């Protein structure tokens, strides 16, 4: 299957030469390279429109973005509200879900696409989002979530297909890994479009592309079916890796997810430092803004990890030895 034209351009620009049968049609560029580009390279928006115009109140943009002046490709772009801490709009949750999966999944099996947090001047966003306002005091910039726009995927009523689970080991592996993540973060919003499935006929991958209703704020008027373990068995190697995760690992990976320093009216990203306020998710002190999961959210995440392992140990959930597609 031929990758999307934007993906082909990106592959060329980054210098990869992938043969068709070795290409991941959903994310045809290594996740680490995409993550680095989304997080650090200068970018400009060349076009954008509301992702789901029929969804009331949707503020997520389907945007064409150019990095370092190169030909643009498509990303999901979602602006934060002032303070970056409102219902279903907590950018730190999107990044936390992306980072959490790294503790028990390999990049080729990520269930959350490459995701990063960036700041952009209000003036650059206003043509596409008239209600955009500065996120933090001291600057006219807006914090946005940038997420790679998946290729060759489809919106389905439910990403979990019990019949396919029983007949396609590759799909069973992928949806089991997805369910591990959604259980851990207590995903509370199964709204149409939040979960996507690959168009591949065999071993289709599944993805969670909106994780804003999760962790400590997971109550919504939508279905919360993904908050629970839905599948009858999980990949044994994924569970083994999860078993090795410690509370220290969670604190180290998720306590401080991103940090910026105010410099002449611009928020400049810098390496995460010491946690400024573990009880808060968004922390602003002097000229520094920092985001991460709170001490409570991390403790709850650890409880969920132990609860999942208990269900496995009590054989309420089965294990399947690795059967890679």
């Amino acid at each position: 299957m031929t990758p999307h034209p934007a993906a082909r351009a990106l592959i060329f620009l980054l210098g990869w030469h992938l043969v068709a049968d070795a290409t991941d049609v959903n994310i045809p560029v290594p996740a680490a390279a995409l993550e680095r580009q989304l997080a650090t390279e200068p970018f400009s928006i060349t076009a954008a429109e509301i992702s789901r115009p029929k969804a009331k109140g949707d503020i997520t943009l389907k945007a064409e973005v150019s990095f370092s002046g190169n030909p643009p490709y498509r990303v999901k772009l979602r602006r934060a509200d002032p303070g970056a801490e409102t219902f279903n709009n907590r950018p730190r949750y999107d990044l936390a879900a992306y980072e959490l999966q790294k503790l028990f999944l390999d990049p080729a099996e990520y269930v959350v696409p490459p995701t990063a947090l960036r700041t952009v001047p209000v003036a650059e966003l206003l043509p596409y989002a008239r209600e955009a306002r500065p996120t933090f005091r001291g600057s006219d910039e807006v914090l946005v979530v940038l997420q790679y726009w998946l290729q060759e995927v489809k919106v389905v009523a439910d990403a979990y297909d019990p019949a396919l689970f029983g007949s396609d080991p590759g799909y069973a592996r992928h949806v089991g890994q997805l369910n591990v993540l959604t259980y851990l973060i207590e995903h509370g919003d199964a709204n149409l479009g939040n979960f996507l499935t690959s168009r591949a006929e065999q071993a289709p991958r599944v993805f969670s592309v909106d994780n804003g209703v999760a962790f400590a704020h997971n109550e919504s008027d939508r279905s919360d079916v993904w908050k629970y373990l839905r599948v009858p068995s999980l990949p044994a190697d994924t569970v083994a890796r999860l078993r090795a995760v410690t509370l220290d690992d969670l604190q180290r990976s998720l306590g401080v997810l991103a940090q910026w320093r105010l410099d002449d009216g611009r928020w400049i990203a810098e390496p995460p430092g010491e946690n400024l306020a573990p009880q808060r998710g968004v922390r602003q002190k002097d000229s520094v803004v920092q985001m991460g999961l709170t001490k409570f959210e991390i403790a709850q995440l650890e409880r969920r990890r132990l609860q999942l392992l208990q269900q496995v140990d009590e054989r309420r959930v089965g294990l399947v030895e690795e059967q890679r597609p």
Side-chain angles (χ1 to χ4, degrees):
M1 186 177 293
T2 302
H4 187 278
R8 290 203 306 272
L10 182 59
I11 293 168
F12 174 78
L13 291 168
L14 296 178
W16 282 291
H17 304 282
L18 303 177
V19 295
D21 62 355
T23 301
D24 182 330
V25 297
N26 305 126
I27 308 177
V29 176
L34 283 171
E35 178 186 331
R36 185 167 56 250
Q37 188 170 59
L38 291 171
T40 65
E41 285 194 21
F43 76 98
S44 60
I45 305 168
T46 62
E49 61 183 7
I50 293 295
S51 175
R52 290 179 283 185
K54 294 183 180 180
K56 184 178 179 180
D58 186 29
I59 64 171
T60 300
L61 297 177
K62 176 169 58 177
E64 302 296 325
V65 173
S66 170
F67 291 90
S68 299
N70 289 312
Y73 66 91
R74 185 167 294 171
V75 302
K76 167 186 167 181
L77 188 154
R78 184 180 176 91
R79 62 177 171 82
D81 292 324
E85 193 75 355
T86 56
F87 176 74
N88 199 18
N89 194 0
R90 293 180 171 85
R92 62 191 182 93
Y93 281 1
D94 289 291
L95 187 55
Y98 178 70
E99 292 295 329
L100 173 62
Q101 71 183 343
K102 296 179 180 180
L103 297 178
F104 57 90
L105 295 178
D106 291 331
E109 296 187 301
Y110 282 175
V111 296
V112 179
T115 302
L117 303 184
R118 298 290 294 269
T119 57
V120 57
V122 170
E124 293 183 18
L125 200 57
L126 283 177
Y128 316 105
R130 282 187 264 178
E131 295 183 358
R133 298 292 182 270
T135 307
F136 304 113
R137 64 180 184 272
S139 170
D140 69 347
E141 295 182 315
V142 185
L143 180 72
V144 298
V145 177
L146 293 182
Q147 185 181 85
Y148 181 73
W149 193 275
L150 294 165
Q151 310 300 318
E152 299 298 327
V153 292
K154 59 185 177 181
V155 177
V156 292
D158 191 349
Y160 175 46
D161 182 335
L164 190 59
F165 187 93
S167 63
D168 187 332
Y171 166 78
R173 177 177 177 82
H174 294 320
V175 78
Q177 291 170 327
L178 172 71
N179 204 176
V180 169
L181 178 76
T182 63
Y183 179 88
L184 291 174
I185 70 175
E186 299 182 79
H187 198 293
D189 186 2
N191 192 23
L192 191 67
N194 287 352
F195 295 90
L196 302 176
T197 302
S198 171
R199 293 185 183 276
E201 294 183 2
Q202 292 186 325
R205 293 179 66 181
V206 286
F207 300 93
S208 179
V209 297
D210 188 335
N211 300 289
V213 182
F215 298 102
H217 297 275
N218 53 33
E219 298 298 328
S220 75
D221 57 358
R222 311 284 183 167
S223 169
D224 64 355
V225 65
W226 284 102
K227 190 185 299 185
Y228 309 98
L229 282 180
R230 306 182 65 194
V231 299
S233 59
L234 299 170
D237 59 315
T238 301
V239 173
R241 290 181 62 174
L242 189 65
R243 198 179 293 275
V245 173
T246 67
L247 179 59
D248 285 344
D249 292 330
L250 297 176
Q251 292 171 336
R252 183 168 51 252
S253 300
L254 307 174
V256 183
L257 292 161
Q259 183 169 308
W260 299 267
R261 184 175 298 276
L262 190 62
D263 183 5
D264 195 25
R266 299 292 305 273
W267 289 109
I268 307 300
E270 62 180 23
E274 182 180 353
N275 196 321
L276 298 176
Q279 305 294 344
R280 299 177 61 187
V282 179
R283 309 138 196 164
Q284 186 165 6
K285 182 178 181 181
D286 300 327
S287 61
V288 173
V289 162
Q290 188 182 83
M291 285 187 174
L293 292 189
T294 67
K295 183 178 180 180
F296 170 80
E297 290 164 349
I298 293 174
Q300 179 63 9
L301 187 55
E302 171 66 357
R303 283 192 290 271
R304 297 287 285 186
R305 185 186 74 88
L306 295 176
Q307 289 168 358
L308 185 151
L309 294 175
Q310 183 179 5
Q311 293 188 56
V312 170
D313 292 341
E314 294 176 352
R315 299 186 179 180
R316 287 183 280 159
V317 179
L319 294 179
V320 177
E321 295 302 323
E322 184 173 8
Q323 298 183 50
R324 289 185 181 273

